[in-house]
Amino acid sequence: MKKAPFLKSYTIFYLLFLYFPIILLPIFAFNDSKVVAFPLQGLTTAWFGEMAADQNLRNAAKNSLFIALSVATLSTILGVFAARASVRYRFPGKAPIMGLIMLPLVLPEMIIAMALLVVLLSLGVQLSLFTVIIGQVLITTPFAVAILTSAFQSLDRSLEEAAMDLGETPLSTFRLIVLPLVMPGIMASFLICFTISFDEFIISNFLGAGQPILSVYIFGQFRFPAKVPSMLALGTVLVLFSIILLGVAEYFRRRGIAKAGGKESGGFL
Amino acid sequence: MTFSDDRPTMIEFKDVHKYYGDYHALRGINGTIKAGEFFSLLGPSGCGKTTLLRTIAGFEGISSGVIMIDGKDMVSVPANSRPTNMVFQSYAIFPHMTVEENVGFGLRKDPRSKDEKAKAVDEALQMVGLKGFGKRAAHALSGGQRQRVALARGLILKPKVLLLDEPLSALDKKMREHNRRPATKKVANFIGTMNFVPATILSEDGDKVEVEAKGLGRVMLDIAQAPEKAGEEPVVGLRPETLTLLYDDQKASERETDGVIDEVIYFGDMTYYDVYLGGTDVEVRLSMRNVPGRPVLDVGTKVRVAWSPSALVLFR
């Protein structure tokens, strides 16, 4: 191996840039001071207590969880339909249809949010958590389609034919053969959509009708210096939550691969 | 095409055509296959063997004509209701199931008791020589074992018609050649061996050896290509894959020699040619990958063979 001191320091700098702010989060969350600054003042768990006692925050967390679970479920189901159709069938206008499905991936979210707001209001739809879910499904579905398309693509078509040959209907073939084999992709899609939805801000803010939603709530609380430490405590909890989620996902993904005897397929997580 | 005995007809084709868009894949297939008959479809790749199998199994519809199985027109019978079972070229073993779950898959709707089904699975596994493999994960099997699982999975349903797509592909190439052709010395010696061409050493000067190889002509070899003397008649060795047939106006990048094809052995993805070199009785074997647009040549064709002096080894 040739030595490349520049690449090494570049990597270290890059990782520091990425993770240093996140490391500060738990440090100040346990710091016994209302001011977020060094030197540290001593250890306390008071901010976590304050966070847990905040009724508004608990409502916001509950709403966000509800939204994220709904969004992940809906967009993964829609993603399964779209991915299956695009991988398996040929139909007129397939390329433009798939292109339009994937477009929200690059469309500024701001524009989607504004357009949806105008349409929903002119239709006389009352803004609520459900309008947030609709908007977020629009932006997470392309991610689900992208992940699931690769899952369906790696499926050998003759497996389905073999199941039909052995007497199964198309529906039972899907349930017994296709679904178990694309399950790792479905899990990955669900988790990605869940994560994107959970910290999504623009649509939550535009279409949320002032309902407490975690990302919007955190943004609002940050204006009050006294609230900052308890928000850092919340951030710490969320980071921990993400790591656990990722660990669980990775565990299931590896188990799925090992079970199917497949080769490591990279994947999103 | 058929036996003349009076066994009942199992499959009957009447003027079967199949188009893929503009491509005419099956062009008027007619004929019958009798019950109990062992019927093989042979032909170069792309000639429609698999397509015909798939129309029998019901995975592909036909554009016109009639396919009858056991006296019934199959036109409106879907694949899952046909009395056929297929062993796929890729075997299509369900990777998320054990061997016995694979073999017993077709028994899911069978009204027999669980024990009876388990017994049927065991018998099927025994028949293909995989007794005791039932609990293994299907993906942990070798290619040949997978094929046997696929066979057991099809046979357990006692189909009227068993379809095998490229059933010899699992056997390794040495095995296939062994099974398909009588084991003459020539063939038996081939796999993993070299072509040997008689040679005369003309001069040896430091790190250069000049030889006259029969059929190839004079070649200057590096001393690294000439291992220690072993007291043998000098021969030049060259591997089949280092020789290439030149088509049309292709030019050899190094040396080329005229030859005549003596034998053609077709392998699907590869074709082996035995070629007499330059009007001599020296024969070499070479292998060519089969690619679209490159025809397989016939015995007796005059060809040009490209070779590289650096690929030669002198044994002496």
Side-chain angles (χ1 to χ4, degrees):
Chain A
M1 271 276 282
K2 241 170 61 178
K3 287 209 167 169
F6 168 73
L7 287 179
K8 198 171 164 188
S9 40
Y10 162 76
T11 308
I12 291 171
F13 180 76
Y14 177 82
L15 290 176
L16 268 179
F17 180 75
L18 210 61
Y19 287 104
F20 187 63
I22 297 177
I23 294 167
L24 285 183
L25 223 61
I27 291 177
F28 284 110
F30 287 104
N31 183 27
D32 192 5
S33 161
K34 275 200 188 307
V35 188
V36 178
F38 287 105
L40 299 175
Q41 301 293 319
L43 194 70
T44 178
T45 53
W47 306 124
F48 287 89
E50 190 177 303
M51 172 195 85
D54 188 340
Q55 189 57 45
N56 289 332
L57 189 146
R58 273 156 59 178
N59 278 341
K62 214 175 71 196
N63 284 340
S64 279
L65 208 61
F66 171 72
I67 292 172
L69 286 174
S70 312
V71 167
T73 308
L74 283 173
S75 38
T76 299
I77 290 173
L78 294 176
V80 167
F81 294 159
R84 170 75 173 178
S86 88
V87 171
R88 169 64 95 233
Y89 301 104
R90 286 199 286 176
F91 45 89
K94 177 169 155 183
I97 288 171
M98 292 316 292
L100 286 173
I101 289 176
M102 300 308 279
L103 192 62
L105 212 55
V106 289
L107 222 54
E109 214 187 309
M110 196 63 158
I111 293 177
I112 297 176
M114 288 194 307
L116 266 175
L117 184 64
V118 171
V119 170
L120 289 172
L121 288 181
S122 64
L123 283 175
V125 177
Q126 195 102 58
L127 294 183
S128 66
L129 294 186
F130 292 102
T131 50
V132 176
I133 290 172
I134 290 168
Q136 290 191 354
V137 164
L138 198 69
I139 56 162
T140 53
T141 297
F143 288 94
V145 173
I147 294 168
L148 288 162
T149 297
S150 78
F152 277 103
Q153 257 162 0
S154 61
L155 201 65
D156 180 1
R157 172 150 198 189
S158 62
L159 292 178
E160 289 169 61
E161 288 176 344
M164 304 252 245
D165 193 48
L166 295 166
E168 297 299 334
T169 62
L171 206 65
S172 62
T173 297
F174 190 80
R175 185 169 58 84
L176 295 167
I177 305 297
V178 179
L179 217 49
L181 290 175
V182 297
M183 198 40 94
I186 289 177
M187 298 273 288
S189 156
F190 188 89
L191 282 162
I192 293 288
C193 295
F194 181 90
T195 315
I196 293 171
S197 161
F198 199 70
D199 67 0
E200 198 283 333
F201 179 80
I202 300 174
I203 285 176
S204 303
N205 198 28
F206 269 61
L207 306 181
Q211 297 254 34
I213 296 171
L214 208 54
S215 59
V216 183
Y217 182 76
I218 291 174
F219 179 74
Q221 294 301 296
F222 245 77
R223 283 175 301 170
F224 311 114
K227 286 282 194 178
V228 168
S230 69
M231 286 300 113
L232 294 180
L234 174 64
T236 307
V237 171
L238 291 180
V239 168
L240 212 63
F241 178 65
S242 307
I243 292 172
I244 291 170
L245 211 63
L246 214 71
V248 170
E250 187 62 18
Y251 168 76
F252 277 110
R253 193 178 73 82
R254 288 192 185 175
R255 207 183 63 158
I257 289 173
K259 214 175 149 198
K263 51 250 171 260
E264 185 64 41
S265 59
F268 237 60
L269 300 168
Chain B
M1 198 167 167
T2 59
F3 284 110
S4 55
D5 66 28
D6 49 25
R7 279 186 283 185
T9 294
M10 182 51 75
I11 306 179
E12 189 168 3
F13 302 102
K14 287 180 194 157
D15 201 28
V16 173
H17 288 264
K18 168 76 184 174
Y19 288 89
Y20 291 105
D22 289 337
Y23 181 64
H24 199 172
L26 299 179
R27 308 180 185 188
I29 308 286
N30 282 292
T32 58
I33 300 173
K34 303 261 180 187
E37 189 173 352
F38 187 89
F39 194 97
S40 297
L41 295 168
L42 300 173
S45 34
C47 78
K49 302 183 297 288
T50 298
T51 304
L52 191 59
L53 283 187
R54 292 172 59 81
T55 58
I56 300 171
F59 303 135
E60 307 270 356
I62 51 178
S63 307
S64 68
V66 177
I67 296 178
M68 313 260 282
I69 299 179
D70 202 19
K72 283 192 209 88
D73 187 350
M74 287 291 127
V75 66
S76 58
V77 182
N80 54 13
S81 307
R82 294 196 183 190
T84 61
N85 282 115
M86 182 141 160
V87 175
F88 289 80
Q89 188 173 2
S90 65
Y91 318 136
I93 299 297
F94 306 130
H96 56 305
M97 297 181 186
T98 63
V99 169
E100 59 185 18
E101 282 168 342
N102 264 282
V103 174
F105 188 82
L107 299 178
R108 222 169 60 83
K109 287 167 186 159
D110 193 302
R112 282 182 285 176
S113 76
K114 219 173 158 187
D115 287 347
E116 282 173 304
K117 287 190 207 177
K119 200 165 153 259
V121 170
D122 281 345
E123 281 168 9
L125 281 174
Q126 187 162 14
M127 188 167 57
V128 297
L130 287 176
K131 198 176 179 226
F133 280 68
K135 303 283 180 215
R136 294 222 193 159
H139 61 80
L141 299 178
S142 74
Q145 290 170 334
R146 280 171 202 236
Q147 186 175 32
R148 284 183 277 158
V149 171
L151 189 62
R153 188 175 67 180
L155 284 174
I156 201 169
L157 297 175
K158 302 193 167 60
K160 289 179 177 159
V161 177
L162 184 69
L163 304 164
L164 305 165
D165 192 3
E166 293 275 358
L168 295 182
S169 58
L171 306 174
D172 66 40
K173 291 200 168 174
K174 187 169 185 174
M175 189 72 179
R176 275 203 278 173
E177 190 156 9
H178 176 79
N179 281 353
R180 281 203 288 204
R181 295 163 55 86
T184 62
K185 181 169 176 282
K186 188 166 131 187
V187 165
N189 278 337
F190 163 61
I191 302 287
T193 60
M194 290 181 128
N195 294 302
F196 296 109
V197 176
T200 323
I201 298 169
L202 298 174
S203 67
E204 187 166 352
D205 177 23
D207 56 356
K208 294 285 177 205
V209 184
E210 190 178 20
V211 297
E212 167 92 36
K214 202 172 175 187
L216 294 174
R218 288 186 175 212
V219 199
M220 191 66 89
L221 300 177
D222 193 89
I223 193 74
Q225 293 168 251
E228 289 282 304
K229 284 192 183 108
E232 293 172 352
E233 281 290 302
V235 286
V236 164
L238 61 171
R239 294 206 162 273
E241 60 271 22
T242 64
L243 297 166
T244 312
L245 282 191
L246 296 169
Y247 279 79
D248 304 326
D249 50 356
Q250 283 180 337
K251 287 211 164 46
S253 53
E254 292 177 70
R255 298 276 293 264
E256 67 172 76
T257 302
D258 291 330
V260 179
I261 295 177
D262 175 42
E263 183 147 20
V264 179
I265 302 163
Y266 180 75
F267 262 122
D269 61 333
M270 299 286 279
T271 303
Y272 294 105
Y273 295 98
D274 289 344
V275 178
Y276 283 122
L277 287 182
T280 66
D281 61 349
V282 174
E283 194 175 86
V284 293
R285 177 166 288 188
L286 57 88
S287 57
M288 294 292 286
R289 190 154 287 284
N290 291 330
V291 296
R294 184 196 277 169
V296 173
L297 301 174
D298 291 326
V299 171
T301 310
K302 287 189 174 163
V303 290
R304 294 177 297 132
V305 178
W307 54 281
S308 156
S310 61
L312 303 185
V313 184
L314 175 66
F315 299 99
R316 50 186 168 150

